[in-house]
Amino acid sequence: MLTRSPTQSLTEQLSARISERIRNRLLAPGARLPSVRQCAQQNGVSPSTVVAAYDQLLAQGLVQARKNRGFFVREGGRAAADADAGATDPAPAGQRLATDAVGRGARGVAPVNATALIRGMFHKINDQPQPGMGVFPSQWLESAFMPAAVRKVANARALQDFSLQYGEPLGDAGLRRQLAKRLDAFGVHTTPEHIITTVGATHALDIVSRTLLRPGDPVMVEEPGWAVEFARLAALGMRILPVPRRADGPDLAVMARYCEVHRPKLYVSVSVLHNPTGHCLAPGSAHRVLQLADAHGFHVVEDDSYSHIAPEHAIRLAALDGLQRTIYVSGFAKILAPNWRVGFLAAPPALLEPLLDTKLLTTLTTPALLEKALALCMEQGQLRRHAERIRTRLDAARARSVKLALAAGCRFAAEPAGLFGWVDTGVDTDALSQRMLDEGYLLAPGALFHAERKPGPLMRINFATTQDAAFWRVFERLRAEQDRLR
């Protein structure tokens, strides 16, 4: 709630709060602001205060009015949307808002979007654990062995070599040898020569997309799925074909129809500990996916970013396929050091040179110093032991978070597993995410995880950051208030 202050009026406080969120992109461009009545109830102020605050935002050029629809965050902070027919109502803002306050009670509110989640990782809202985050808390990742490995490989001679020449195009040979051994341990048999290191797993996915696709090409992506992948492919101009993700794998009937009608070029999958549901691929589904890929000529990109916390003997498409039509992608940001940005891909021999060309055109080479340090951590078993400690800690955190979520009146739409929980809250989580921001919590509403935004009651939680009962008390209170407003 806002509080009265001798230095700043309630109107100024509310306007400043909303404008900060717009500038930090916590309110997505094009998103609808709450109605006056909703905003007044959420912030404990009068409708006239909201009218005045929205007037200030209009004057600053941060929002625009659309006749009979309400107020929206400007696209890109520009007035371009005003060119749309009927986009701006010439009536004074106060008159428009008064009408809105009286009447319609529209449900739409400004949602968090994919880039807002990313920005939240870089610019913390506060020091509270954030339930919508996609990574482990930094204190979980702290270790002594990583700095020691960097010091060991960064002797004076090595630093000179790193500084005076580019690294190996494919990536550090020692790291690729360690990666080949790791892949072999869970059945993905390849050689160091068929592995390319990248600047994180997202970069690996981008290399694949830029190599195999052209704007307008159809791409099958699991839904719900990783919000950033939808946004990234859309930004590249791809035609996204959402495939419903079930507990045992993708909806095979939908995939088959897409193959017959659209002839997709690519299928992007998280086989193990799927984000956001935590599902793992079943053997029967895996075999059928590969049969479809072979029959219809598309490639499969398998994102295994959660491999370090995955259950033993989890099914990988790349293992069953022998890297024939699959491209395996993974990285170390989730488990080790997000800012090291070390990822990799393993590819069929026929695709290796085109993929390498794309890497060289986009980044030249990757940082040899960090790759050599990571290779040392893997060779000495330090990474393996670190991952085991994380898994043990996560198991305990998951048990606590599940108990708190259930006590707060939620239910799980998927069996809790891995880092994320797919939670049914019973209320619109787009609206709830706006209200939770007022309390300093960044949520990941379920609409983010669809190719086309579909507001609903689901949200993704991070088990490592939802162990705090204080969060669930705030959540339960605001959810109850929102339920009463419906």
Side-chain angles (χ1 to χ4, degrees):
M1 295 291 182
L2 303 177
T3 57
R4 296 191 178 276
S5 165
T7 59
Q8 193 177 38
S9 69
L10 293 175
T11 295
E12 291 169 335
Q13 291 179 52
L14 181 58
S15 174
R17 172 183 288 182
I18 298 172
S19 65
E20 180 183 12
R21 290 177 182 168
I22 292 172
R23 292 188 173 99
N24 289 334
R25 297 183 70 85
L26 292 174
L27 300 184
R32 187 181 189 275
L33 296 182
S35 69
V36 167
R37 182 171 59 183
Q38 283 179 314
C39 191
Q41 290 173 329
Q42 290 170 5
N43 291 281
V45 296
S46 68
S48 61
T49 296
V50 179
V51 169
Y54 280 12
D55 263 330
Q56 289 187 7
L57 295 170
L58 279 167
Q60 296 168 29
L62 295 175
V63 303
Q64 68 176 144
R66 297 180 184 173
K67 189 174 182 178
N68 298 325
R69 294 183 62 198
F71 287 78
F72 295 78
V73 177
R74 284 190 183 275
E75 296 284 352
R78 302 188 308 274
D82 288 348
D84 294 339
T88 302
D89 188 344
Q95 178 181 332
R96 291 191 301 271
L97 288 166
T99 302
D100 189 26
V102 170
R104 297 183 305 274
R107 182 182 57 83
V109 295
V112 174
N113 67 355
T115 52
L117 286 180
I118 298 173
R119 287 170 182 267
M121 291 191 290
F122 302 147
H123 306 289
K124 293 197 303 183
I125 298 174
N126 51 46
D127 291 330
Q128 296 175 147
Q130 293 301 325
M133 300 297 281
V135 295
F136 286 110
S138 57
Q139 60 268 29
W140 285 39
L141 303 180
E142 292 174 356
S143 70
F145 67 83
M146 289 190 299
V150 172
R151 288 193 296 270
K152 188 166 184 177
V153 302
N155 56 63
R157 176 59 183 272
L159 280 175
Q160 186 178 34
D161 291 342
F162 297 151
S163 302
L164 297 179
Q165 60 185 357
Y166 289 110
E168 301 175 61
L170 288 172
D172 179 70
L175 176 58
R176 288 186 287 112
R177 285 194 294 271
Q178 292 300 320
L179 292 172
K181 291 179 181 178
R182 172 169 171 75
L183 292 180
D184 189 68
F186 46 77
V188 181
H189 305 301
T190 189
T191 66
E193 293 72 31
H194 294 150
I195 294 174
I196 300 174
T197 65
T198 61
V199 187
T202 302
H203 180 222
L205 292 167
D206 202 54
I207 287 174
V208 174
S209 299
R210 293 179 185 276
T211 303
L212 300 184
L213 301 173
R214 295 294 177 267
D217 281 348
V219 181
M220 294 185 291
V221 185
E222 294 169 333
E223 186 179 58
W226 187 32
V228 174
E229 185 65 6
F230 287 126
R232 189 185 64 78
L233 288 169
L236 290 174
M238 307 310 168
R239 186 152 53 100
I240 297 173
L241 305 176
V243 179
R245 176 62 189 252
R246 299 172 171 174
D248 62 346
D251 187 320
L252 296 168
V254 170
M255 286 189 74
R257 287 198 298 273
Y258 283 151
C259 290
E260 294 292 342
V261 176
H262 299 289
R263 300 189 62 81
K265 299 289 185 67
L266 205 65
Y267 167 52
V268 183
S269 173
V270 180
S271 303
V272 180
L273 297 180
H274 173 260
N275 178 10
T277 65
H279 293 320
C280 289
L281 189 63
S285 292
H287 284 290
R288 181 60 182 141
V289 166
L290 294 175
Q291 287 173 348
L292 285 171
D294 188 58
H296 296 277
F298 62 85
H299 284 93
V300 177
V301 183
E302 184 170 39
D303 180 359
D304 201 13
S305 292
Y306 306 97
S307 62
H308 296 93
I309 58 172
E312 292 186 14
H313 312 302
I315 299 294
R316 269 88 175 183
L317 289 164
L320 298 176
D321 174 61
L323 288 174
Q324 297 300 304
R325 301 210 66 85
T326 55
I327 303 166
Y328 179 93
V329 167
S330 191
F332 298 87
K334 292 291 187 292
I335 194 68
L336 190 61
N339 202 32
W340 278 22
R341 308 307 306 141
V342 179
F344 67 98
L345 62 86
L351 294 181
L352 193 72
E353 289 301 320
L355 291 168
L356 180 58
D357 286 347
T358 303
K359 173 188 173 178
L360 296 177
L361 289 171
T362 54
T363 59
L364 294 180
T365 55
T366 40
L369 173 62
L370 298 180
E371 291 185 352
K372 288 182 180 295
L374 178 56
L376 182 61
C377 294
M378 296 179 71
E379 182 180 6
Q380 296 181 345
Q382 293 161 327
L383 177 60
R384 175 181 52 79
R385 292 190 291 273
H386 173 72
E388 289 171 355
R389 291 191 293 269
I390 293 288
R391 284 196 298 271
T392 299
R393 191 170 183 176
L394 178 58
D395 288 344
R398 189 187 309 111
R400 288 190 290 270
S401 294
V402 168
K403 185 177 180 181
L404 288 166
L406 294 174
C410 296
R411 71 174 185 86
F412 282 85
E415 187 68 23
L419 179 59
F420 300 124
W422 195 225
V423 178
D424 188 338
T425 67
V427 298
D428 178 7
T429 50
D430 263 9
L432 184 63
S433 69
Q434 172 65 34
R435 306 193 71 197
M436 291 298 293
L437 274 176
D438 291 338
E439 304 286 344
Y441 291 105
L442 181 68
L443 296 188
L448 282 180
F449 301 92
H450 289 79
E452 293 185 4
R453 197 173 190 95
K454 299 176 182 177
L458 294 170
M459 72 174 180
R460 187 196 73 181
I461 62 170
N462 181 324
F463 288 126
T465 58
T466 50
Q467 306 175 68
D468 186 359
F471 159 70
W472 289 105
R473 285 194 294 270
V474 173
F475 166 87
E476 194 169 8
R477 171 173 58 82
L478 294 183
R479 190 191 64 166
E481 291 176 4
Q482 183 174 320
D483 201 35
R484 287 196 296 272
L485 291 174
R486 287 196 297 180

